[in-house]
Amino acid sequence: MAVQQAVETLLRAADDGSLARLCERHDVEILTLFGSARTDPASARDVDIGVRFRGRATPDPVPLIGDLMDLLSTDAVDVLLVDRATPTGRFAALVEAMPLYETADGVWANAQMAAALEFYETEWLRRLDLEQLAR
């Protein structure tokens, strides 16, 4: 039940602007909700949040994670840094996700399209890896 309440709090924060203020403080460009917290929050064990920071350098994510835990009143927060993730991770956090914050219209959509393209173009490599592991 704690995760479901945390998701409800996160959605309210997205609606009332407090999530946007938090994201602006931490130079977040995109913030999404994904995974079981998005699809079935009643049975989820944590809140999966995808984050992409502005600029080329990724700042220390710990202050953002701390503020998210404070906002949601739980330490069951799992943050995926989109720019450091695998193609599968980026796909989950951007394509199979609910966008909650973006710095400008279209930022999330462009990142989503790039993640989908990368995921589908590298599918043959993931399949090859699995075949190699099976041997």
Side-chain angles (χ1 to χ4, degrees), residues 40-55:
D40 187 13
S43 65
R45 292 186 289 152
D46 61 8
V47 181
D48 294 312
I49 296 175
V51 174
R52 184 165 119 183
F53 291 99
R54 289 185 210 151

Side-chain angles (χ1 to χ4, degrees), residues 24 28-30 54 101-110:
E24 289 164 6
V28 170
E29 184 174 49
I30 299 169
R54 289 185 210 151
Y101 174 80
E102 62 182 327
T103 54
D105 289 341
V107 171
W108 170 71
N110 287 333

Side-chain angles (χ1 to χ4, degrees), residues 63-123:
L64 170 65
I65 294 167
D67 281 353
L68 286 168
M69 288 191 293
D70 289 346
L71 173 69
L72 304 180
S73 300
T74 182
D75 62 355
V77 175
D78 189 10
V79 172
L80 177 80
L81 302 177
V82 172
D83 288 337
R84 292 186 180 172
T86 65
T88 303
R90 269 190 290 283
F91 187 85
L94 293 170
V95 177
E96 298 175 329
M98 174 189 300
L100 299 177
Y101 174 80
E102 62 182 327
T103 54
D105 289 341
V107 171
W108 170 71
N110 287 333
Q112 183 186 43
M113 287 185 286
L117 182 62
E118 176 188 35
F119 179 79
Y120 293 122
E121 284 183 344
T122 59
E123 190 272 334

Side-chain angles (χ1 to χ4, degrees), residues 7-46:
V7 169
E8 291 168 4
T9 299
L10 184 63
L11 296 176
R12 277 194 307 275
D15 286 342
D16 70 19
S18 56
L19 182 63
R21 289 187 295 278
L22 185 149
C23 288
E24 289 164 6
R25 266 195 326 272
H26 292 283
D27 290 326
V28 170
E29 184 174 49
I30 299 169
L31 188 137
T32 66
L33 175 66
F34 71 101
S36 59
R38 182 187 68 81
T39 59
D40 187 13
S43 65
R45 292 186 289 152
D46 61 8

